Amino acid sequence: MTTGLRTTSARTYGHWISGHWQEPAAGHYAITDPATEETVGHAPQADRADVDAAVRAARAAYDSWSRTAPVERAAVLDRIADAITDRAAELVPLLQAETGATIRVTKAMQVPPAADRFRRYARGAVEPGTVPLAPQPMRSTPVAPGGLIGAASVRRPVGVVGCITSYNFPLANLAGKVAPALAMGNTVVAKPAPQDPLTCLLLGGIMREAGLPDGVFNVVTGTGVVAGEALVAHPGVDMISFTGSTAVGKAIAASAGATMKRTLMELGGKGAAVVLPDADASVLRCAVSAVGSTWAFHSGQICTAPTRVLVHRDQYEHVITALESYARSLKIGSPVDNSTVVGPLISSAQRDRVEAYIAGAREQGARVVTGGDRPDLKPGFYAAPTLIADVTPDMTVAQEEIFGPVVVAIPYRTEDEAVEIANGTPYGLYDYVFAADTGRAWHLAARLRSGNVGINTVQRHSEAPFGGFKDSGVGRDGGSFGLQAYSELQAVVW
């Protein structure tokens, strides 16, 4: 299979539109390996005409795909899952190079989840979408004669879905949107993050080989705002599913509202890990490991990370010492070295942003316990695992999403104070509670304004609804909730 329009030492890719590679009108731009700073490939730069062509292709394919029997859609999605698995040896190196994720994370958590999501929604395509409602006797009115009236609620596809994704898990994140959208009978125009879209472009050819009809899945890429704005504003798009920053999400919501597009928004997070005073040695080890995942998992570039650790004053210094030891034990280095735990950030701009937050914390009086300085590693956009202690809830590092390997520690005296601190940011995506008494943790979870709460774990449940409160988003996906997210409810009455 060709992977682009031309082949050089670094491949040049086209847009994927209507089952074929399409030359971009606005040229190409380089994709940079965050570890080597070398060019991985050249992605197409979309203009409005490219986006229009992709939307028109999706619209043309919608009528046939939406009427395809669910069992046939399921078979296609299953074959896509198999194809992704079969092509892992090809996809993993490219995905690792363009994201900078460690080879261990790429092999385990970038490619396999993409296949898993297509396989999950192959089953979802044949889940019952009709809910019968009990008949009701209705009296005659001037509108209609009375009688025994029956009804059903039926899920219907939304139409053309624009999927705009983030740079941290490009393939898995896109699969989590595309698979349920296709299972429900929608067609898709995807716009991956500009930093690492190459594997997402390859997905087009993989899906076509698996039997997906032309035009059902299309991909356009580009830097800047042109492609994203054109997709959101296009009258041929019925829904926007977005994962990314809150600021961009708000702009998308405002634009989408002008044409009453449906939206699914998975935005930023500022996860609080509340360690309750009853935490024994076992629970404390669990909490330290969980909070340490902010450093150890993709260099903290994940919106669900427990980036704030809230600890009772009686245990505060003990937890600080344990976290410091954990951070210092992590190997920073080349992501293709199997012993590396902390790889680079996605770009020099993101590294500068992380370093600016750390400098600001120092200026505001916080204590940098470990990290905070740029590692002596060149080339690459590396940032050291950083622990900032003696943080107050009003400090910038306690309020804003950093999206890097930075944890802030905040002491508290009472459970009420802990809840106030945890809820005291604009975000509400994922919080955590660590306690020996899990019943107490359950009750505390009810007080947290967060779409997700983990009790003594940072593990996810794939069938649970996923989404946020407040500025962390609108709507839910995951499991069967994903089918609901990419469908409209139609009432049929007889």
Side-chain angles (χ1 to χ4, degrees), residues 101-185:
T102 64
I103 194 68
R104 293 193 301 175
V105 167
T106 308
K107 285 182 176 179
M109 303 195 70
Q110 294 272 15
V111 175
D116 290 344
R117 287 170 181 176
F118 278 102
R119 192 161 283 115
R120 165 61 182 88
Y121 288 106
R123 301 194 308 272
V126 293
E127 285 185 23
T130 301
V131 178
L133 305 175
Q136 289 190 354
M138 303 297 293
R139 293 191 298 270
S140 294
T141 70
V143 175
L148 192 62
I149 304 299
S153 168
V154 188
R155 284 204 305 259
R156 306 295 192 195
V158 180
V160 175
V161 180
C163 296
I164 304 175
T165 53
S166 56
Y167 69 73
N168 53 351
F169 292 91
L171 188 63
N173 187 279
L174 184 58
K177 296 178 183 298
V178 173
L182 298 186
M184 277 307 308

Side-chain angles (χ1 to χ4, degrees), residues 14-79:
H15 300 301
W16 183 259
I17 300 174
S18 197
H20 303 282
W21 297 108
Q22 301 289 332
E23 182 77 48
H28 298 82
Y29 67 98
I31 302 300
T32 302
D33 184 325
T36 66
E37 300 184 43
E38 297 176 353
T39 297
V40 178
H42 296 87
Q45 186 78 268
D47 63 8
R48 292 184 179 275
D50 293 325
V51 174
D52 180 65
V55 174
R56 289 178 181 275
R59 178 57 62 189
Y62 171 74
D63 187 57
S64 176
W65 179 250
S66 64
R67 292 189 296 157
T68 300
V71 68
E72 294 180 28
R73 295 201 296 266
V76 172
L77 295 180
D78 259 332
R79 290 196 297 270

Side-chain angles (χ1 to χ4, degrees), residues 3 6-13 29-43 90-100 194-199 202 346 381:
T3 56
R6 296 182 295 277
T7 300
T8 62
S9 56
R11 286 170 170 168
T12 298
Y13 296 72
Y29 67 98
I31 302 300
T32 302
D33 184 325
T36 66
E37 300 184 43
E38 297 176 353
T39 297
V40 178
H42 296 87
E90 172 191 351
L91 297 175
V92 166
L94 177 61
L95 191 52
Q96 187 285 313
E98 62 176 340
T99 62
Q195 296 93 334
D196 47 15
L198 303 182
T199 315
L202 289 185
I346 189 67
F381 311 127

Side-chain angles (χ1 to χ4, degrees), residues 95 99 109-115 117-118 121 162-181 188 190-193 196 200 203 217 241-244 264-267 301-304 403 429 460 466 477 486:
L95 191 52
T99 62
M109 303 195 70
Q110 294 272 15
V111 175
R117 287 170 181 176
F118 278 102
Y121 288 106
C163 296
I164 304 175
T165 53
S166 56
Y167 69 73
N168 53 351
F169 292 91
L171 188 63
N173 187 279
L174 184 58
K177 296 178 183 298
V178 173
V188 170
K191 195 276 177 187
D196 47 15
C200 295
L203 186 60
F217 175 71
S241 176
F242 172 71
T243 298
L264 177 64
M265 298 281 178
E266 197 264 280
L267 308 179
Q301 296 172 113
I302 181 168
C303 54
T304 58
F403 224 61
L429 183 59
R460 296 272 296 277
F466 183 79
D477 62 6
Y486 292 94

Side-chain angles (χ1 to χ4, degrees), residues 36-390:
T36 66
E37 300 184 43
E38 297 176 353
T39 297
V40 178
H42 296 87
Q45 186 78 268
D47 63 8
R48 292 184 179 275
D50 293 325
V51 174
D52 180 65
V55 174
R56 289 178 181 275
R59 178 57 62 189
Y62 171 74
D63 187 57
S64 176
W65 179 250
S66 64
R67 292 189 296 157
T68 300
V71 68
E72 294 180 28
R73 295 201 296 266
V76 172
L77 295 180
D78 259 332
R79 290 196 297 270
I80 293 170
D82 290 340
I84 291 172
T85 301
D86 292 344
R87 300 279 284 280
E90 172 191 351
L91 297 175
V92 166
L94 177 61
L95 191 52
Q96 187 285 313
E98 62 176 340
T99 62
T102 64
I103 194 68
R104 293 193 301 175
V105 167
T106 308
K107 285 182 176 179
M109 303 195 70
Q110 294 272 15
V111 175
D116 290 344
R117 287 170 181 176
F118 278 102
R119 192 161 283 115
R120 165 61 182 88
Y121 288 106
R123 301 194 308 272
V126 293
E127 285 185 23
T130 301
V131 178
L133 305 175
Q136 289 190 354
M138 303 297 293
R139 293 191 298 270
S140 294
T141 70
V143 175
L148 192 62
I149 304 299
S153 168
V154 188
R155 284 204 305 259
R156 306 295 192 195
V158 180
V160 175
V161 180
C163 296
I164 304 175
T165 53
S166 56
Y167 69 73
N168 53 351
F169 292 91
L171 188 63
N173 187 279
L174 184 58
K177 296 178 183 298
V178 173
L182 298 186
M184 277 307 308
N186 302 286
T187 56
V188 170
V189 177
K191 195 276 177 187
Q195 296 93 334
D196 47 15
L198 303 182
T199 315
C200 295
L201 285 162
L202 289 185
L203 186 60
I206 291 171
M207 293 169 75
R208 187 173 193 264
E209 289 183 354
L212 189 72
D214 293 349
V216 174
F217 175 71
N218 310 272
V219 189
V220 293
T221 72
T223 59
V225 300
V226 172
E229 287 185 348
L231 184 59
V232 174
H234 200 292
V237 175
D238 301 288
M239 175 181 173
I240 295 293
S241 176
F242 172 71
T243 298
S245 72
T246 295
V248 174
K250 289 180 176 180
I252 288 174
S255 176
T259 49
M260 291 303 293
K261 287 181 174 63
R262 303 299 182 255
T263 59
L264 177 64
M265 298 281 178
E266 197 264 280
L267 308 179
K270 192 67 179 175
V274 181
V275 182
L276 292 181
D278 74 340
D280 55 22
S282 175
V283 172
L284 288 176
R285 285 194 298 272
C286 178
V288 168
S289 177
V291 172
S293 69
T294 300
W295 302 313
F297 184 46
H298 206 6
S299 300
Q301 296 172 113
I302 181 168
C303 54
T304 58
T307 56
R308 295 180 295 156
V309 56
L310 282 53
V311 189
H312 192 273
R313 287 189 179 276
D314 290 347
Q315 295 177 311
Y316 184 71
E317 288 301 332
H318 172 73
V319 172
I320 293 296
T321 299
L323 285 170
E324 178 184 9
S325 176
Y326 189 101
R328 290 182 182 275
S329 73
L330 302 175
K331 180 182 176 181
I332 311 169
S334 169
V336 297
D337 183 335
N338 278 324
S339 64
T340 293
V341 179
V342 182
L345 295 171
I346 189 67
S347 65
S348 60
Q350 181 61 16
R351 179 181 59 187
D352 291 346
R353 182 174 181 271
V354 169
E355 291 176 343
Y357 273 111
I358 297 169
R362 284 193 174 106
E363 292 171 2
Q364 290 183 307
R367 169 168 55 108
V368 178
V369 177
T370 187
D373 298 319
R374 184 177 297 186
D376 187 19
L377 293 169
K378 293 182 181 179
F381 311 127
Y382 293 93
T386 299
L387 174 62
I388 305 177
D390 305 338

